[in-house]
Amino acid sequence: MSSSLNRRTLLGASLAGAASLAVGTPPANAKTLYADLSFPATRVAKAARRLVTDAQKPYLRNHSLRSFLFARAAAAKAGRRPGRDYDAEVVFLICVLHDMGLTERANTGQRFELDGADFAAGFLERHGITDRRLDTIWDGIALHTSYGIHESPVFARRRPPEIMIAQNGMGIDLTGGPSDLPAGYAERVHAAYPRYRCARVFTDDLIALGLADSRKAPPMTLPGEIMHQQRPDVPYTKWEDFLAASGWKD
């Protein structure tokens, strides 16, 4: 694909959503607003950070943390400020928990996006969060690899901004690049949270999960498509198979 923006549509960071981030005038201090690479310090945010440190491989933990830092920096570059335009804690929880479905702790046999979203919901409920924030976080995680869904201008207009801001950060970290961020910012973040060949190891882990349990790589999903492309030797359910199995015999 021709640009990092188009590449990120594979992870749900859509043209419409990215455009919504681009409106506004960048603040004068956008480059230094997050010089300390800080994270939300609320009780549940601290618990989530401890969780991913314990449960996720180093490459995945760093991806989760970088996703938030990149999301916040990209939002600041576009003139969107935490506390005024979005809830930073919600963005953090979407980012830091979005790949928990790749861990054994959250594996229930669903595709990893749904396992991660369901695990996040249970984690939030145990920490006393049962309001609309839980719904926003579930949506942000469950839909984060849904190709094209966020190209809808209605989605960008009607859904909470935290979803698109978080998913923009995830997409930048996996398939974007330094030009999506303030000059020099990516280098500083990577010095603190190295990549460890993140995208390649992520791909390998998705394939390994799918080989161990075909339910983890169902057809018409990102895990299923990766499995189909990387391992064409593995049986893969095609649309014609669904039609042939239908009781209507069309």
Side-chain angles (χ1 to χ4, degrees), residues 3-243:
S3 70
S4 60
L5 180 61
N6 285 335
R7 290 195 301 273
R8 291 199 302 278
T9 62
L10 292 173
L11 299 176
S14 70
L15 295 172
S20 73
L21 287 178
V23 299
T25 302
N29 63 342
K31 292 183 180 180
T32 60
L33 188 57
Y34 305 112
D36 61 353
L37 305 184
S38 67
F39 298 100
T42 62
R43 178 179 57 85
V44 67
K46 289 179 178 179
R49 188 173 177 186
R50 288 193 298 268
L51 170 68
V52 299
T53 298
D54 181 55
Q56 294 185 355
K57 297 177 182 178
Y59 91 88
L60 196 61
R61 175 202 64 219
N62 284 5
H63 164 60
S64 301
L65 296 172
R66 284 194 311 266
S67 292
F68 171 74
L69 294 173
F70 288 170
R72 187 174 60 182
K77 185 179 178 183
R80 301 186 107 177
R81 303 291 293 272
R84 185 190 71 186
D85 302 307
Y86 66 93
D87 185 327
E89 180 189 63
V90 171
V91 172
F92 178 76
L93 291 170
I94 295 172
C95 289
V96 82
L97 298 173
H98 81 278
D99 276 341
M100 278 300 296
L102 290 173
T103 70
E104 193 57 40
R105 190 172 303 195
N107 185 359
T108 70
Q110 301 179 101
R111 50 189 282 198
F112 84 96
E113 306 95 328
L114 295 182
D115 268 343
D118 287 354
F119 182 90
F123 172 83
L124 295 172
E125 288 168 343
R126 289 192 296 275
H127 285 81
I129 296 178
T130 58
D131 58 18
R132 291 188 65 183
R133 289 175 295 170
L134 190 152
D135 300 326
T136 297
I137 293 164
W138 192 95
D139 286 351
I141 295 173
L143 298 175
H144 84 271
T145 66
S146 298
Y147 182 83
I149 193 170
H150 302 110
E151 294 181 14
S152 162
V154 177
F155 184 95
R157 187 176 76 246
R158 298 286 301 179
R159 302 305 297 137
E162 290 83 6
I163 295 176
M164 193 58 66
I165 290 172
Q167 293 178 346
N168 194 44
M170 299 172 201
I172 289 171
D173 189 61
L174 202 61
T175 60
S179 62
D180 296 305
L181 299 160
Y185 188 74
E187 290 80 0
R188 293 181 54 248
V189 172
H190 285 131
Y193 302 101
R195 296 194 65 81
Y196 301 129
R197 299 184 69 250
C198 172
R200 298 299 180 182
V201 184
F202 168 81
T203 301
D204 293 342
D205 279 355
L206 276 186
I207 292 171
L209 285 173
L211 290 173
D213 184 348
S214 62
R215 296 175 300 171
K216 304 298 290 184
M220 304 179 216
T221 67
L222 177 67
E225 182 64 18
I226 289 174
M227 176 70 78
H228 186 50
Q229 291 182 18
Q230 301 290 331
R231 291 294 305 270
D233 57 302
V234 175
Y236 186 77
T237 303
K238 300 179 177 63
W239 177 243
E240 186 60 36
D241 298 323
F242 285 106
L243 297 182

